[in-house]
Amino acid sequence: MSDVVIETRNLSKVYRDFWGRQKVRALKALDLEVRRGEIFGLLGPNGSGKTTTMKLLLGLLFPTSGEALVLGKPATDVTKNERIGYLPEESYLYRFLNAEETLDFYGRLFDMPAHRRRRRAAELIDLVGLSGAKRRQLREYSKGMTRRLGLAQTLINDPELVMLDEPTSGLDPIGTREMKDLILDLKAQGKTVLLSSHQLADVEDVCDRIAILHLGELKELGRVDSLLKVQDELAIRCTGLNEAARQEISDVIRRHNGTLLAMESPTMTLEELFLKIVAESEAHPGRRVVGSHGS
Amino acid sequence: MVLETEPIPFWPWLTGTAHEWWQVLLGLALLGLGLGLVVRAVRYGPLDAVRTVSRGVWAAIVDLARISPRRVLALAWLARREALHRWVLMAFVLFSLLLLFGAWFLDELSNDPSRLYLAFVLEMSRGLLLLLALLLSVASIPADLAQRTIYTVVTKPVRASELVLGRLLGFWMVGTAMLVMFGIVGYVVVMRGLTHAHEILPQHVSNLSESSGDAGLTGRTETTRRHHHTFTFDGQGRGRTEPTQGHWHAVQVEGSGSSAKYTVGSPQGWLQARVPIWGKLHFKDRSGANAEKGVSVGEEWAYRSYIEGGTLATAIWRFDGLRAAEFPQGLPLELTIRVFRTYKGDIVSAVQGGLRLRNPETGVTSAERTFPAHEFTTDSLLIPTKLFDADGQPLELFRDLVTPSGAVEIELQCITPSQYFGMAQPDLYVRASDRSFTLNFVKCYLGVWLQMLVLTAVGVLFSTFLNLPVALMATIGTLLGGYRLDYIRELAAGRMVGGGPIEQIVRLFTGMNMTTKFEEGTQRTVMTMADDALRWLFQRLTHVLPDFGALSDTSFVADGFDIPAVRMLEHSVATLAFVVPVFVASYLLFRTREVAR
């Protein structure tokens, strides 16, 4: 079994008008790999190309050039979807159905037999806490409830790869916490998660690796902990020093037998990193900044 | 009943149609492939074009072969739920309201109320069902795209073929259920609308013997639903009314004098499903020479030909395959004649006609039977098994006038000089038997059902690649074009008086007479070239547009004729032959569409 779950090679997307003239170059030569069992985050401001990337991976859009492979198959191959779960940004569900009907319908799309659909739907409704509202039409659901049911439909087929577009959008703090726990739980089950989000704190909390896109270009790619490390600074945390030693801290720690607790590069927040990259990208369009912050 | 085109037996029809079908299909497939190659080649080069198109064709074959019934049924179920959510209840309420209140405005003084009721109910069912099919089929995919609910469907292992087929099946199921409801409600409305009873009051009954010396009674019924009947009782107290408004009643009297009890039965003679045997019509002109047609009396609609009265002009129907065992009582004929009067004359008296039977092999001819021609009604004549020739010699119908193979000619002439009879082939037929009206009603709804299938397929086809307003217009255009296919065929063949569409528009704006020729010159050349191009387009259109008009059997039921099984079989095969390629085309178009665009 290949270790790479998602692979894009030189993936590009150009939106054209009715006459075939180029309107927007939404994605420029994206090379990306998402490995099995990791939580991978796509970050970027509006119009950066992260939604386009996700749509290309799902086969909702066709690439202008390049290639996207998902679970070893071309992104336009519908059979790959048998092992994928997708949660769109706004849970686009049929409002005239209730929760049970919704999950049963999506289960049928996976060719699941009736008894398995019933069992799985009951499990998922319980998991997302909608047992008390499972027979209410979705038109009567709040945004948070719809979101939770959207997550349930994502997991109906027990997917290997879960793609989440803005998973915490519309959720209250508790819902957000539950969603993040669930994402970590999916990782613990060995599933691969690809998510895109504007909630930088959420991404920071759950993602193993991230890619930052801006204006359709990949600007940063790597492990979150590495990316957030500030390479040219040193922070020393220590304890047990007297007042005198503190005065001369920079050169006498070892001489004064102090206990060195940590010596490492300090980190910035993901938000600080993100804003810095966007600012650099706007100052120097087209320049790739991968590797300058981490690996 | 008007039958402008002669019915074709199944196998000759199938052979001709299948040949044309293959040609059209092959042409469209090649056109599609060619377009795909050109567009791809322009954008990405010829090698990529060949690779992509060949991969696409293979993927299409795989997609169509691996359709999952469970997924298709799930999508059909969703389409059905969506339809119920959107339009269906509204359509049913509208249908019920129109039936409830529309029936108030039907003319109770009509010559044939049953025709009126049936035409009203059937046309209303058809109109509403097609409207529903149009809205459902056209709006569904665009709405799904606009609301992005389709994202959660196409990101499941759903093939485009399953998505299209699921929708089609869903809407077809909804349409079928609606049609069943329309049919049941319509049937009840027709039955209740036509059922009535009359009362007979003793003061309106008199003894026949007072006037004619016969035993029995005569009189008239009381007026119900703005009509009444005259009637006659025989000596046993039984009888029937004279036909009024296309129906009659059985009447019975028990007792006599002031204690007499009169009973009037339910209406008879309408809501029939007559099974006619049609003959072949040819003519003899006023000098007695054979002619393909009669004369024209100047009507624009050239459906009927006319024969001149008091001359040798004759309309001759040849019937084949008549068997004596099937007609033990004689040959029941039904005749509808149009009369064209060249002078007013005695307007009250009917123009007289004469009818003879002739053996086409031996030439033996029966004596002429005269009859008064009643306009706008169908006369029934029973040709008895025992007849006479012009010399008074006795003839046996099936021995002397019908050939061993069952052929006979029926000659019809107009006797009144300078008046004309008009007829078309279906105007005279042998009434072989009667079938169940209810079954015929159901068969008519089957025709409406086939139209619904076709329209839904067209709507879904356009919705796979056009946005809602454009898809709606295109589907309506196809529907109207399908109903006026005969007109488009005339345009395509260049048989229209006044030239092609462009020429007619020029005539319209310049106020030019339809028969005046244009002067030679550039204007005429450009106009002719444009019309030739349009004619070419119309010719192609006639091969791909669904013939909605031909699928409609309303006139059969309304006029009281059984819908022939072969006609239904042909229509069913034609519908299938149309719907399957449209489904494949819908699938291909949807497959090439970017859902998230």
Side-chain angles (χ1 to χ4, degrees), chain A residues 13 16 62 106 111 153, chain B residues 70 81 152 156 594 597:
Chain A
K13 179 66 188 175
R16 297 178 191 277
F62 305 146
Y106 288 115
D111 232 343
Q153 70 81 25
Chain B
R70 187 177 275 140
R81 289 295 302 266
T152 53
K156 307 289 183 283
E594 287 185 310
R597 193 62 189 269

Side-chain angles (χ1 to χ4, degrees), chain A residues 1-30:
Chain A
M1 193 181 285
S2 168
D3 192 43
V4 176
V5 173
I6 294 174
E7 186 179 5
T8 69
R9 294 182 204 134
N10 206 26
L11 189 66
S12 302
K13 179 66 188 175
V14 175
Y15 289 111
R16 297 178 191 277
D17 65 10
F18 179 79
W19 305 106
R21 292 174 303 193
Q22 181 174 323
K23 255 189 345 190
V24 181
R25 197 169 177 83
L27 196 63
K28 298 170 193 168
L30 178 67

Side-chain angles (χ1 to χ4, degrees), chain B residues 229-485:
Chain B
H229 301 262
T230 56
F231 62 84
T232 309
F233 289 120
D234 60 16
Q236 279 78 45
R238 295 174 190 280
R240 57 185 276 181
T241 65
E242 288 298 314
T244 303
Q245 293 190 334
H247 72 281
W248 53 271
H249 301 260
V251 287
Q252 195 176 353
V253 59
E254 288 172 7
S256 61
S258 59
S259 63
K261 187 182 171 193
Y262 301 97
T263 312
V264 181
S266 56
Q268 306 286 325
W270 57 21
L271 305 183
Q272 306 171 92
R274 291 169 285 189
V275 180
I277 296 175
W278 309 108
K280 291 267 184 198
L281 175 63
H282 65 279
F283 291 89
K284 283 187 175 174
D285 64 17
R286 67 195 316 274
S287 63
N290 284 331
E292 203 174 307
K293 283 186 171 181
V295 294
S296 166
V297 293
E299 286 182 356
E300 275 187 51
W301 189 34
Y303 175 64
R304 289 191 168 84
S305 272
Y306 285 77
I307 52 173
E308 188 180 346
T311 69
L312 293 175
T314 313
I316 303 166
W317 281 265
R318 182 192 163 108
F319 292 90
D320 287 292
L322 302 179
R323 299 274 171 266
E326 290 168 17
F327 304 100
Q329 309 296 322
L331 211 53
L333 297 183
E334 294 206 337
L335 176 64
T336 311
I337 291 289
R338 288 282 182 276
V339 178
F340 179 75
R341 293 171 183 263
T342 55
Y343 63 93
K344 192 174 175 185
D346 180 5
I347 200 73
V348 179
S349 303
V351 174
Q352 294 295 307
L355 188 138
R356 292 187 298 267
L357 271 71
R358 180 177 173 274
N359 186 319
E361 287 179 2
T362 62
V364 173
T365 306
S366 69
E368 187 171 70
R369 173 175 172 171
T370 58
F371 65 91
H374 297 119
E375 275 204 272
F376 309 113
T377 57
T378 300
D379 286 322
S380 298
L381 305 168
L382 180 68
I383 307 295
T385 52
K386 296 191 185 305
L387 301 98
F388 297 93
D389 67 8
D391 301 325
Q393 296 300 313
L395 296 173
E396 277 284 339
L397 175 63
F398 281 95
R399 186 191 66 199
D400 301 316
L401 295 169
V402 180
T403 68
S405 65
V408 66
E409 286 182 348
I410 295 176
E411 300 179 342
L412 192 137
Q413 287 182 315
C414 177
I415 295 173
T416 312
S418 300
Q419 307 289 36
Y420 288 77
F421 276 174
M423 64 281 294
Q425 192 161 282
D427 285 344
L428 188 146
Y429 55 89
V430 177
R431 186 170 175 174
S433 60
D434 277 20
R435 296 231 167 97
S436 156
F437 166 76
T438 306
L439 185 63
N440 210 33
F441 192 78
V442 172
K443 287 198 276 188
C444 182
Y445 270 82
L446 189 73
V448 179
W449 183 70
L450 294 178
Q451 291 175 61
M452 182 272 294
L453 298 188
V454 170
L455 187 66
T456 304
V458 172
V460 169
L461 170 75
F462 286 127
S463 72
T464 55
F465 67 103
L466 298 173
N467 61 29
L468 178 58
V470 184
L472 190 65
M473 294 303 290
T475 312
I476 291 172
T478 306
L479 181 66
L480 296 179
Y483 275 116
R484 297 305 309 272
L485 200 54

Side-chain angles (χ1 to χ4, degrees), chain B residues 566-584:
Chain B
V566 68
R567 182 179 167 89
M568 293 175 59
L569 182 63
E570 287 172 5
H571 288 172
S572 303
V573 172
T575 301
L576 189 69
F578 182 83
V579 164
V580 171
V582 167
F583 156 63
V584 175

